[in-house]
Amino acid sequence: MVAWRRELYGGCRRPPAPMKLRDSPSACPSLWRSLPCPPAELRLDLVLSSGQTFRWWESSPGAWTGVLGGRVWTLRQDPDRLWYTVYGEEEDGRPAEAAKPDGAETDQILRDYFQLDVGLPALYCAWGAADPLFRKVADDFPGVRVLRQDPVECLLSFICTSNNHISRITAMIERLCQAFGRRLCRLDARPFHAFPSLSALAGADAEARLRALGFGYRAKFVSGSARAIVEGLGAEGLRRLRAAPYAEARRVLCALPGVGAKVADCVCLMALDKAEAVPVDTHVWRIARQRYGAVLGGRSLTPRAHQEIGDFFRGLWGPRAGWAQAVIFCADLRKGQEPAGSRDQAWGGRGQDSCGDGPP
């Protein structure tokens, strides 16, 4: 063992130290970059914890660390700017050396992910003018915007949200990535992995392995959808749905195993550029009926009810109705206004619709 260590490290050098989490630009300032971004345009604490994504955690007060685009990032904000640092990927199990971010590339990745080209204050103003109930919560929840996620990761993650809640979904996605994804790096004692490839999740043993990881009935849907995409439209075909009409993208998604209208709308909104998509579950149905006095649908959440509720909110909030709903959802999540037992629920996680978002 000693001889092996001497040979590997030149007889005297120690193994490279594990990378440390960088939680502030004051530590290694040359490894941080920033973008102009006031809290009215983005609040990390509201957006990254509200069930749109499950790959981020608050690594220290005000600092959020997670995986985006196959890299590990730490983000934080001050009153005027969004700061970020990117960690290098391990090579042969050894920690990568710290590297300064490639500014043009990484700036664009964040601008795209947070859709920073969309001016949020003007939208809040328009939604508030159209909706007094929105106006009541807007001041307490600024900077809530919809993420633009990778379509494959978004789809397979939201398949896991049916009848589930944020903390449990986050743990499930973490196990999924550790079991099937490539290891990117280890920060302090915590490993980070890329989201798995479609081929990894479409393998013959994937469903059994997912069941062993605690995915239950969702295991069949995750592996089945991965396989259907591999054998059908492919990852690029899924991404090309960004250019398709909303109804067409929704139809294609609903043909996948375990994907109903609710999950399809989440993916349309958060990955396929369909800002008009309004994910509807029993909670949103109750909001429409009780808070807005809308008489919509029958006694169950049928496909017709989905369409009518979505149309109602699109008529109220306009072409970015899904973005307005994100603010209302975040407010409910934070204020604990959801029905008893569902406060930690994810976007796709409450109830079951008639199109497959739930156990068989």
Side-chain angles (χ1 to χ4, degrees), residues 21-69:
L21 186 71
R22 300 189 287 269
D23 61 1
S24 170
S26 61
C28 302
S30 65
L31 300 180
W32 287 77
R33 285 182 58 85
S34 68
L35 299 170
C37 187
E41 291 287 3
L42 172 65
R43 281 273 302 274
L44 291 176
D45 60 321
L46 298 180
V47 173
L48 297 181
S49 66
S50 62
Q52 290 190 53
T53 176
F54 309 99
R55 305 295 323 266
W56 297 90
W57 63 293
E58 192 171 16
S59 47
S60 65
W64 293 83
T65 299
V67 180
L68 168 61

Side-chain angles (χ1 to χ4, degrees), residues 50-54 154-170 172 217-218 258 260-267 270 279-284 286 301 306 325 329 333 338-353 356-359:
S50 62
Q52 290 190 53
T53 176
F54 309 99
C154 186
L155 169 65
L156 298 180
S157 295
F158 271 91
I159 287 175
C160 300
T161 64
S162 62
N163 297 284
N164 217 339
H165 55 81
I166 292 173
S167 55
R168 185 164 181 257
I169 299 161
T170 300
M172 289 173 67
Y217 69 87
R218 303 173 192 88
K262 179 175 56 181
V263 166
D265 276 334
C266 287
V267 178
M270 301 172 203
V280 174
D281 58 12
T282 54
H283 179 59
V284 174
R286 282 192 291 269
L301 197 48
H306 271 274
Q325 187 201 13
F329 182 92
L333 197 66
E338 296 183 51
S342 66
R343 185 169 183 270
D344 187 35
Q345 294 283 2
W347 277 68
R350 288 170 299 208
Q352 178 180 350
D353 68 21
D357 292 329

